[in-house]
Amino acid sequence: MGERLRSVTIVGGGTAGWLTALLLATYARSSKSAPQDLKITLIESPSVKSVGVGEATVPSMPILLRQTGVNERDFFKRCNASFKLGVLFDNWNVDRNGKPIAFINSFNEGRMIRGVESAYYYLKYGAGGGPFSDVVTTALDLAREFKGPHPLGAKTEDQNPGFAYHLDAGLFADLLRDICVARGIDHVHDDVVDVEKDERGFIAALQLKERGRLPVELVVDCTGFRGMLINKALDEPFVDYSKCLANDRAAAIQIPHPNPDKLEPLTRSTALSSGWVWRVPLYNRVGTGYVFSSAHRSDDEACDELLAHLHATGQPPAKGSEPRIIPIRVGRTRNAWVKNCIAIGLSSGFIEPLESTAIFMIEKSVRWLLAYFPDSDFAEPLRARYNKVSNRLYDEVRDFICLHYALNNRADSPYWIDAREALEVPDSLAENLELWKHSLPTRHDLDSRLLFGHRIYHAVLLGKQVYGTGFAPPPVSAATLYPDTWRDYVKQFRRGVAQATQVLPDLKTLLATLRGELDPATLPGAAGPKIPAAPGLRGTVPLPGQAAPLKPQITMKRKGA
């Protein structure tokens, strides 16, 4: 056994660097096995800007904030955060009549009804002409009325886990930075100009432009797409996913709300000619942009198409604002942990932001580091297992994203035809697609389901209406289906949705109370129902040595407050 590590050095700031620092600091404070005096240093270049467009999250986010002691009011106010109930996909597929399909992938899932998946019931009996999501989630109903997901004055942690957040990524990184510095993390503004390695090839020290030589024990690479340490200094190769995912560019822009009082609690993904446009509504503005393939659109063409789309949908940018182009490196570093260096964030890998997985993957990477935290020996089994679970998550996300493209049925542009016919389908997904022509997905079909379980696949398959538009006839359950039971279930679920939609507050008002700008006790509707429960929250585990979530301990104060 080696000696316990006394320091961790993080190179790079942004969400990846500061969230890594915050989770490590929380671990050192709460774990019985970690050194209580673990020194955490974060080196942030004053000349490198973070990408800063990852503004949507998944349902592990509320628990993550509570476990790390982030004050809810500070989060909502400082990050201009809002709620997210799912992703609405528009124009990715067409129905039997050639009309564009819109469907939602929500954070609520289908369920078992008398031992049979509700998706089988829906395929046989339908839901009064409505989409599958009508018997799964309140998300679309609440979004149509611009409603929030829980009553005024209710504690977010007491609600069912059917929501995530939209947030300003740059402001979120600033909030994490301020909390980390307040908790004693050493913040160094400097540039790494050289990397010193020892006789084993481990990183022994970093040469900083201003401060000179800095010895390191465990170093975390959060330098983004550059991969300064993991790819350049340690020569770990990058595994390119471009053969199965074509998009390699993004044109990003911020726009004002068309109506600031009507905030939609959904991320939107609208397919255009050569990719898709995201729309992430925050409290104060909308983040949007075009993820596209440079093989099908030049930067100028993509920007023109994005701006035309925004004008056509009544969402024109502010005068003088222009999209900024962001090159995307799609894939993963072969091994995220090499010797004494671990890559987290974009340096570890990136799969296009279709399902808002970037922050979740940072979170999981740090949690796995905590679970396999090394000593000075840096035992190979720890590295091997970390890399195995990390790579498995990347492959899980890759397969789920590829599903959206492989099952598109558009024939109106070369991009969508290529997405279906020219791109490679990973073997693991191809095998399942053949299976799912005969049977709906089950939990046993998936090698990894940390984020996307089999019922999420139900939502996409049925949302795209693939059974009936050329993929395969609807699979039939071998079990007995009870039509009366299904009718009663649909009626009861829709009654609950109608009640929730009627009594829940509008989202703008709910956010104003969470920001501390309105007193919920003075407003009508301070009591009401929870949203219908999601069967389970995916992707979050307690920190090692932590019996219960941590309570917020710090309320950040701004200057002049």
Side-chain angles (χ1 to χ4, degrees):
M1 291 288 292
E3 297 181 357
R4 289 197 303 175
L5 299 182
R6 293 295 174 181
S7 68
V8 177
T9 303
I10 302 166
V11 180
T15 301
W18 288 114
L19 183 54
T20 298
L22 181 59
L23 276 164
L24 288 174
T26 303
Y27 168 74
R29 189 182 66 213
S30 64
S31 173
K32 296 178 181 179
S33 60
Q36 297 297 303
D37 58 347
L38 181 70
K39 179 177 175 56
I40 301 171
T41 300
L42 188 145
I43 304 168
E44 188 170 28
S45 170
S47 58
V48 176
K49 292 184 178 181
S50 63
V51 173
V53 294
E55 297 187 321
T57 61
V58 296
S60 65
M61 193 68 176
I63 292 178
L64 171 67
L65 297 184
R66 292 199 299 276
Q67 287 186 331
T68 52
V70 177
N71 180 273
E72 182 179 66
R73 177 173 294 184
D74 291 329
F75 168 71
F76 276 101
K77 191 159 189 176
R78 289 194 55 179
C79 302
N80 286 311
S82 184
F83 286 99
K84 171 187 173 182
L85 302 181
V87 182
L88 183 69
F89 291 87
D90 192 11
N91 203 27
W92 282 70
N93 282 63
V94 296
D95 65 15
R96 294 176 182 177
N97 301 315
K99 291 181 60 178
I101 293 170
F103 73 94
I104 188 170
N105 184 7
S106 77
F107 298 135
N108 297 106
E109 300 177 348
R111 60 207 68 190
M112 301 291 285
I113 297 176
R114 297 190 71 170
V116 181
E117 291 284 358
S118 57
Y120 276 114
Y121 274 95
Y122 178 83
L123 284 174
K124 184 166 185 178
Y125 299 118
F132 179 56
S133 60
D134 274 359
V135 292
V136 172
T137 180
T138 61
L140 275 178
D141 298 87
L142 294 179
R144 291 188 191 105
E145 301 296 326
F146 305 100
K147 295 278 187 149
H150 65 69
L152 297 174
K155 293 183 178 180
T156 301
E157 61 264 29
D158 293 337
Q159 304 305 301
N160 294 310
F163 55 80
Y165 299 129
H166 294 142
L167 53 87
D168 184 308
L171 296 179
F172 182 56
D174 291 345
L175 173 63
L176 297 178
R177 176 200 64 207
D178 291 349
I179 295 173
C180 287
V181 171
R183 296 185 187 180
I185 290 170
D186 187 15
H187 184 197
V188 176
H189 284 276
D190 212 336
D191 287 299
V192 176
V193 295
D194 199 9
V195 177
E196 176 187 326
K197 292 188 281 189
D198 64 18
E199 66 280 356
R200 301 172 298 170
F202 281 49
I203 297 176
L206 303 172
Q207 188 69 30
L208 305 184
K209 183 177 180 180
E210 301 295 335
R211 296 199 180 192
R213 185 178 185 273
L214 176 69
V216 299
E217 291 183 315
L218 171 64
V219 61
V220 181
D221 185 345
C222 295
T223 62
F225 290 132
R226 294 177 296 155
M228 176 189 293
L229 304 180
I230 196 75
N231 300 129
K232 295 181 179 178
L234 295 177
D235 296 320
E236 185 65 12
F238 184 78
V239 179
D240 192 345
Y241 284 173
S242 62
K243 289 184 178 180
C244 56
L245 291 168
N247 295 334
D248 58 355
R249 311 282 279 180
I253 193 170
Q254 298 175 2
I255 60 175
H257 278 292
N259 186 337
D261 292 324
K262 295 187 180 297
L263 306 183
E264 189 177 47
L266 295 175
T267 301
R268 283 181 176 263
S269 170
T270 303
L272 297 187
S273 72
S274 301
W276 55 274
V277 169
W278 77 83
R279 184 181 189 275
V280 177
L282 307 185
Y283 184 80
N284 64 322
R285 63 163 174 83
V286 175
T288 188
Y290 188 8
V291 178
F292 65 97
S293 162
S294 63
H296 296 83
R297 276 288 182 273
S298 69
D299 290 352
D300 289 342
E301 290 171 336
C303 289
D304 289 344
E305 188 177 7
L306 170 62
L307 294 174
H309 166 76
L310 295 176
H311 283 283
T313 53
Q315 306 173 86
K319 187 176 181 179
S321 60
E322 295 290 337
R324 66 184 177 105
I325 297 296
I326 303 169
I328 296 174
R329 184 180 76 158
V330 178
R332 61 171 173 82
T333 294
R334 184 180 63 182
N335 290 301
W337 185 347
V338 177
K339 302 186 185 299
N340 64 332
C341 176
I342 297 179
I344 292 178
L346 299 180
S347 57
S348 174
F350 182 74
I351 300 172
E352 63 175 73
L354 187 62
E355 291 285 353
S356 313
T357 55
I359 293 178
F360 173 81
M361 296 178 88
I362 295 168
E363 175 192 349
K364 292 300 294 184
S365 296
V366 185
R367 291 185 185 277
W368 286 325
L369 169 57
L370 299 175
Y372 305 120
F373 200 79
D375 57 27
S376 61
D377 284 344
F378 289 94
E380 175 58 28
L382 295 175
R383 289 200 298 268
R385 182 52 54 90
Y386 178 96
N387 288 325
K388 181 177 181 179
V389 295
S390 176
N391 291 345
R392 184 186 298 159
L393 176 58
Y394 275 103
D395 290 346
E396 174 187 336
V397 175
R398 177 204 62 196
D399 283 9
F400 189 65
I401 301 301
C402 286
L403 174 81
H404 292 71
Y405 293 99
L407 292 184
N408 96 82
N409 64 351
R410 288 180 51 170
D412 58 334
S413 81
Y415 171 88
W416 290 103
I417 295 171
D418 288 347
R420 181 174 62 253
E421 299 180 359
L423 291 180
E424 292 183 5
V425 177
D427 291 343
S428 50
L429 176 60
E431 180 181 339
N432 276 330
L433 288 178
E434 288 302 311
L435 174 66
W436 296 338
K437 291 178 179 179
H438 310 281
S439 172
L440 286 176
T442 75
R443 63 189 302 270
H444 308 292
D445 303 340
L446 305 172
D447 294 331
S448 175
R449 49 184 184 276
L450 290 168
L451 187 56
F452 303 118
H454 67 286
R455 288 175 180 149
I456 301 298
Y457 280 85
H458 292 176
V460 176
L461 293 172
L462 272 60
K464 282 176 168 284
Q465 302 179 22
V466 299
Y467 297 115
T469 56
F471 176 64
V476 177
S477 172
T480 301
L481 302 184
Y482 299 90
D484 292 342
T485 300
W486 174 246
R487 282 194 294 269
D488 290 344
Y489 168 79
V490 172
K491 184 183 301 183
Q492 181 180 356
F493 188 90
R494 294 307 302 169
R495 184 184 300 122
V497 169
Q499 291 172 348
T501 305
Q502 183 177 7
V503 302
L504 286 172
D506 72 87
L507 181 55
K508 184 70 176 286
T509 301
L510 175 60
L511 293 174
T513 66
L514 293 171
R515 292 163 61 95
E517 297 166 356
L518 287 176
D519 182 356
T522 65
L523 300 170
K530 297 178 181 179
I531 58 175
L537 180 62
R538 304 174 300 281
T540 300
V541 296
L543 296 173
Q546 181 176 297
L550 300 174
K551 295 181 178 180
Q553 296 186 357
I554 294 177
T555 299
M556 303 303 301
K557 294 183 178 180
R558 293 171 299 283
K559 293 180 180 180

